[in-house]
Amino acid sequence: MFVDSDTVNEFKSEDGAIHVIERRCKLDIDAPRLLKKIAGVDYVYFVQKNSLNSRERTLHIEAHNETFSNRVIINEHCCYTVHPENEDWTCFEQSASLDIKSFFGFESTVEKIAMKQYTSNIKKGKEIIEYYLRQLEEEGITFVPRWTPPSIAPSSETSSSCKKQAVSLAVVVPDTAQAEGLASEALGTPTGPPEPVAGTPDDKLDADYIKRYLGDLTPLQESCLIRLRQWLQETHKGKIPKDEHILRFLRARDFNIDKAREIMCQSLTWRKQHQVDYILDTWSPPQVLQDYYAGGWHHHDKDGRPLYVLRLGQMDTKGLVRALGEEALLRYVLSINEEGLRRCEENTKVFGRPISSWTCLVDLEGLNMRHLWRPGVKALLRIIEVVEANYPETLGRLLILRAPRVFPVLWTLVSPFIDDNTRRKFLIYAGNDYQGPGGLLDYIDKEIIPDFLSGECMCEVPEGGLVPKSLYRTAEELENEDLRLWTETIYQSASVFKGAPHEILIQIVDASSVITWDFDVCKGDIVFNIYHSKRSPQPPKKDSLGAHSITSPGGNNVQLIDRVWQLGRDYSMVESPLICKEGESVQGSHVTRWPGFYILQWRFHSMPACAATNLPRVDDVLASLQVSSHKCKVMYYTEVIGSEDFRGSMTSLESSHSGFSQLSAATTSSSQSQASSMISRWRFC
């Protein structure tokens, strides 16, 4: 922790372009008292040198330890430069080295403390940057102009307003905001400045890439995209969406990162659970859909968007629901949306400009009260709900043609479930109004207007028609079909209740096998444990008194550890308990030391009582009144791999934990530690 500093040396060039300041900094290290007593110090001193070159737009920060320099050598270097391809961005690179020659026999302890302290410094540095940006804003400084020679313009007082603080990241804020627009962009963001972004070969921040694939973005919007993408890279172990898809969620929430992150995380979990990424390759629509679903892709509109034509008025929605069920229809609509995303990518390449949405043309001729059949409307509303949640900003325009008198009734039922931004994209035409000014020709070339709309292009969309009743299925058949559709996944769902954990049994024959797991906490907070026992637990009983098995609509619940078993006698804990919050995704592995039976347990996490008082908190009381607060839900997959086949990091639970629903507390890092030296390197740009 920073305590104080003294200026040792300071230099300014005559033109004000170069400013070098050297300080002796006093720090209080978070180390054990015994270690401090043995070392004979309460504080340690570091020398820090900051070199700002406003002409070159660079800032170099060097620091080394003065205390114990004969036993421990610590060097740190930070460098801020202008991005070579986009001068409105700042690149940040930081490296540090630790060489422990001797330290009273505590070399290993000092190495661990140093690693912990360095990581903490990185995290604290972000908070300090935000503090100084807020301070500048309070002083009325929202923009820092670039440095210019005195002969052209006087040097800005702002560029030399560096505060006398010691922590390396603290002193850079007023001086490093030289990149035009960076300070004003960061100050305009409610959540603070843009976080450093890890540079990778795939980072494409140049203007050509943005214009070619993403469209016009303001500096603030570009910043939001990079920050959200970086957060996904740090916390999400699965497939990372493309920039175009991340932008859809940001646009759907007006570039509010917190809100966009929340709905995108829910969508990623949903896609993972139902294997939506593979739906086009692994699922084929039933023949009934191919024959009677009156919809299909048809060229593109004048803006290059893929065009989907739906002859809703000619479609027997009741017959399709009775023949296929709600889930099959939903899956088919999802495949249409996935195909739409693919076609958008293809059109982006063809037209040489970003195309991220498609146009839907809905012909309502033939719509009547038959389409207002209640189960059919229910299925439609559910489809709208799922599409709105997982495919935001994919609909560029919706053209509704030949709306009959019954349409207002359907619109009244459906419109409350449609997002306001989506509703603004609807254009509704009654009768033959679509043929007049402001009609279809404004959006679609004459050559591709379908023949059933008085156009010249033959449209291959099925004509629909009534589904034969011989194809109808019974309610029981439809229910079984629906279950089969959405259980074709390697993941299993389980409910976790207060007082009723969910447990699975894994038998290990060969020691040194590797148990791997991947689970998402869909609802509530849970504690994850792994136990070992030499004897197998009894199978779950069926009765509700002695056992161990609870069935619920939201997933199964199985308890294996007998209540008479004692921890330490009948079974033992092999990993430290891991608390997982709602929305988090956790991946990890455990190398087994003994053969026998291993039990993976997900247990309800109760909030600890307030330490300062025995009175319950208001939040705890309110939570206890809600039945849902006593139920959690997890989606999990486990696998046992032989040690010779395992290709990965055999890490503990703690190191395998990833904060899926919140900003990762740790900065992305790669570290290398050896017996006498430790080098850690962080790169951001």
Side-chain angles (χ1 to χ4, degrees), residues 369-662:
M369 295 302 294
R370 162 171 67 90
H371 292 87
L372 300 182
W373 180 57
R374 186 173 179 180
V377 174
K378 174 176 170 289
L380 176 61
L381 294 179
R382 178 158 179 242
I383 289 172
I384 291 174
E385 181 183 16
V386 172
V387 172
E388 282 281 320
N390 298 285
Y391 299 92
E393 295 299 314
T394 52
L395 180 66
R397 184 178 295 114
L398 181 66
L399 303 170
I400 299 178
L401 277 55
R402 302 197 282 194
R405 292 183 179 181
V406 73
F407 174 72
V409 180
L410 180 62
W411 179 249
T412 302
L413 295 172
V414 171
S415 60
F417 295 88
I418 301 175
D419 181 76
D420 290 339
N421 291 334
T422 304
R423 279 206 299 265
R424 284 194 284 267
K425 300 172 184 177
F426 284 36
L427 296 173
I428 303 173
Y429 301 90
N432 293 323
D433 291 348
Y434 70 92
Q435 297 178 353
L440 204 55
L441 283 174
D442 285 7
Y443 306 103
I444 300 176
D445 290 329
K446 180 180 179 181
E447 294 77 16
I448 65 168
I449 293 180
D451 54 328
F452 59 84
L453 293 175
S454 303
E456 302 175 356
C457 185
M458 294 298 295
C459 185
E460 297 181 358
V461 172
E463 295 183 0
L466 295 176
V467 177
K469 292 185 178 180
S470 59
L471 298 177
Y472 286 9
R473 299 190 185 185
T474 64
E476 184 178 353
E477 289 175 333
L478 289 176
E479 183 178 356
N480 292 335
E481 178 70 12
D482 289 350
L483 288 174
R484 185 184 67 80
L485 278 172
W486 290 119
T487 53
E488 292 174 347
T489 171
I490 60 175
Y491 292 88
Q492 300 182 52
S493 296
S495 296
V496 180
F497 301 92
K498 193 170 185 179
H502 177 70
E503 297 163 343
I504 62 174
L505 182 67
I506 298 176
Q507 184 175 3
I508 297 297
V509 178
D510 299 324
S512 299
S513 296
V514 182
I515 301 174
T516 64
W517 56 83
D518 178 1
F519 66 86
D520 293 340
V521 185
C522 303
K523 180 179 180 182
D525 299 343
I526 59 103
V527 179
F528 181 57
N529 285 295
I530 302 182
Y531 301 102
H532 173 263
S533 175
K534 294 181 180 179
R535 58 192 177 103
S536 174
Q538 293 298 317
K541 302 176 183 178
K542 297 295 183 181
D543 60 287
S544 59
L545 293 177
H548 297 300
S549 182
I550 299 176
T551 302
S552 67
N556 66 312
N557 176 278
V558 176
Q559 299 169 63
L560 299 170
I561 299 177
D562 198 294
R563 290 171 183 168
V564 300
W565 278 22
Q566 292 184 11
L567 185 63
R569 186 192 69 181
D570 301 291
Y571 65 109
S572 60
M573 183 181 294
V574 297
E575 286 277 8
S576 300
L578 179 65
I579 299 175
C580 308
K581 300 295 184 180
E582 180 176 322
E584 290 184 345
S585 179
V586 182
Q587 298 82 29
S589 58
H590 174 79
V591 182
T592 61
R593 297 177 60 186
W594 317 280
F597 300 91
Y598 287 80
I599 301 170
L600 273 59
Q601 180 194 76
W602 291 269
R603 177 166 50 84
F604 183 90
H605 176 57
S606 300
M607 296 297 294
C610 182
T613 175
N614 292 327
L615 295 176
R617 299 184 306 164
V618 174
D619 292 344
D620 295 337
V621 174
L622 293 176
S624 66
L625 296 177
Q626 301 178 5
V627 177
S628 61
S629 67
H630 298 297
K631 176 183 175 182
C632 303
K633 187 176 180 181
V634 295
M635 183 182 73
Y636 65 90
Y637 169 72
T638 63
E639 184 178 1
V640 178
I641 305 174
S643 58
E644 67 278 3
D645 298 325
F646 187 64
R647 297 292 182 268
S649 176
M650 298 184 181
T651 55
S652 67
L653 281 172
E654 293 294 338
S655 61
S656 300
H657 183 249
S658 64
F660 186 50
S661 64
Q662 56 190 359

Side-chain angles (χ1 to χ4, degrees), residues 295-310 336 339-340 343-344 347 351 355 357-363 394-401 440 443-450 452-453 457 459 461:
W297 295 99
H298 181 72
H299 301 283
H300 55 79
D301 68 4
K302 288 188 174 181
D303 294 322
R305 297 190 185 102
L307 177 63
Y308 190 83
V309 176
L310 179 64
I336 293 173
E339 176 64 23
R343 287 174 177 262
C344 283
N347 285 18
F351 291 98
I355 296 173
S357 59
W358 56 81
T359 294
C360 185
L361 187 155
V362 181
D363 179 24
T394 52
L395 180 66
R397 184 178 295 114
L398 181 66
L399 303 170
I400 299 178
L401 277 55
L440 204 55
Y443 306 103
I444 300 176
D445 290 329
K446 180 180 179 181
E447 294 77 16
I448 65 168
I449 293 180
F452 59 84
L453 293 175
C457 185
C459 185
V461 172

Side-chain angles (χ1 to χ4, degrees), residues 329-340:
L329 278 176
L330 173 58
R331 179 167 285 206
Y332 187 53
V333 173
L334 296 182
S335 69
I336 293 173
N337 279 269
E338 290 297 306
E339 176 64 23

Side-chain angles (χ1 to χ4, degrees), residues 132-186:
Y132 276 101
L133 284 172
R134 286 193 296 268
Q135 188 177 73
L136 285 173
E137 191 176 27
E138 291 172 0
E139 295 174 2
I141 300 173
T142 58
F143 175 74
V144 181
R146 294 185 186 179
W147 177 87
T148 53
S151 58
I152 299 176
S155 63
S156 170
E157 295 180 2
T158 305
S159 62
S160 61
S161 63
C162 188
K163 307 297 177 182
K164 286 184 62 176
Q165 298 293 337
V167 181
S168 60
L169 288 177
V171 300
V172 306
V173 177
D175 292 335
T176 55
Q178 302 298 322
E180 186 177 8
L182 182 60
S184 59
E185 173 190 322

